[in-house]
Amino acid sequence: MRYHKMKASPEPGTYIMESPLVTEEDILTMAKQLSSKRLSKGRALSLPQDVKDHIRTLLHDYEHEVFAVLLLDSQHRIIVFHELFHGTLSSASVYPREVVKLALKHNAAAVIMTHNHPSGDPTPSQADITLTKGLAKALALVDVRVLDHIVVATQGCVSLAERGDM
């Protein structure tokens, strides 16, 4: 696999720098590429903390809210990670119809929803909890299970499932 300013070396899991100068932005780009790879199609989800870590790497540095969905098959293997809605500094409009359409398009059996809080505080709002319950009901009508909704921020991640808010 080739990453920004790096190429794979003969030893698995190691890389060779193509450029002697690597900036912080380069490192963030490489981290996003690696996280995307780890959330790639066919990969089974085994540890909830790994999922949180990868999603956090992908979403925590946006300056506006982004709502995304991790679509899974019946064995909870990844089908695709899809950023579905982009919003403003403090909110993103989420349309249940579009979430259901995406799940059906990819024949998903389950989903993990996620969005970021640009404020840095991952504490879910009441609106986040209400949205999660509404989307879970809409997706249940087409036999798609919502496993979790993870709120991402620079201060960490919060799982609504772990908090019992689903």
Side-chain angles (χ1 to χ4, degrees):
M1 172 109 202
R2 181 181 174 84
Y3 294 103
H4 181 73
K5 294 191 178 183
M6 297 175 77
K7 65 180 180 180
S9 73
E11 187 177 325
T14 61
Y15 299 88
I16 300 168
M17 298 302 299
E18 290 184 327
S19 170
L21 177 64
V22 178
T23 65
E24 286 181 1
E25 189 63 34
D26 293 332
I27 292 168
L28 290 172
T29 300
M30 289 183 273
K32 280 189 173 188
Q33 290 173 335
L34 183 58
S35 287
S36 291
K37 178 185 173 205
R38 290 194 175 165
L39 290 178
S40 63
K41 185 174 183 168
R43 196 173 176 107
L45 298 178
S46 53
L47 299 173
Q49 189 57 48
D50 286 347
V51 175
K52 286 185 209 175
D53 290 343
H54 296 304
I55 290 174
R56 182 170 181 240
T57 300
L58 293 169
L59 295 180
H60 84 276
D61 64 343
Y62 278 110
E63 293 180 358
H64 57 278
E65 278 205 13
V66 175
F67 179 89
V69 181
L70 187 58
L71 300 161
L72 309 169
D73 67 14
S74 60
Q75 302 299 310
H76 296 170
R77 292 179 303 227
I78 297 168
I79 298 170
V80 69
F81 179 78
H82 188 81
E83 290 181 13
L84 199 53
F85 303 108
H86 292 251
T88 64
L89 179 64
S90 59
S91 68
S93 295
V94 177
Y95 301 97
R97 181 181 201 282
E98 298 303 316
V99 177
V100 171
K101 278 175 46 178
L102 183 69
L104 291 173
K105 175 182 175 185
H106 291 282
N107 201 27
V111 301
I112 295 174
M113 300 178 294
T114 184
H115 78 280
N116 66 319
H117 279 180
S119 68
D121 180 5
T123 305
S125 67
Q126 187 57 49
D128 295 337
I129 295 167
T130 301
L131 172 69
T132 302
K133 290 177 180 177
L135 286 170
K137 286 180 184 175
L139 288 162
L141 292 173
V142 293
D143 295 323
V144 176
R145 190 170 162 222
V146 175
L147 301 179
D148 204 349
H149 184 160
I150 299 170
V151 181
V152 174
T154 54
Q155 296 174 9
C157 296
V158 173
S159 161
L160 271 72
E162 289 174 355
R163 284 176 40 128
D165 288 332
M166 296 186 52

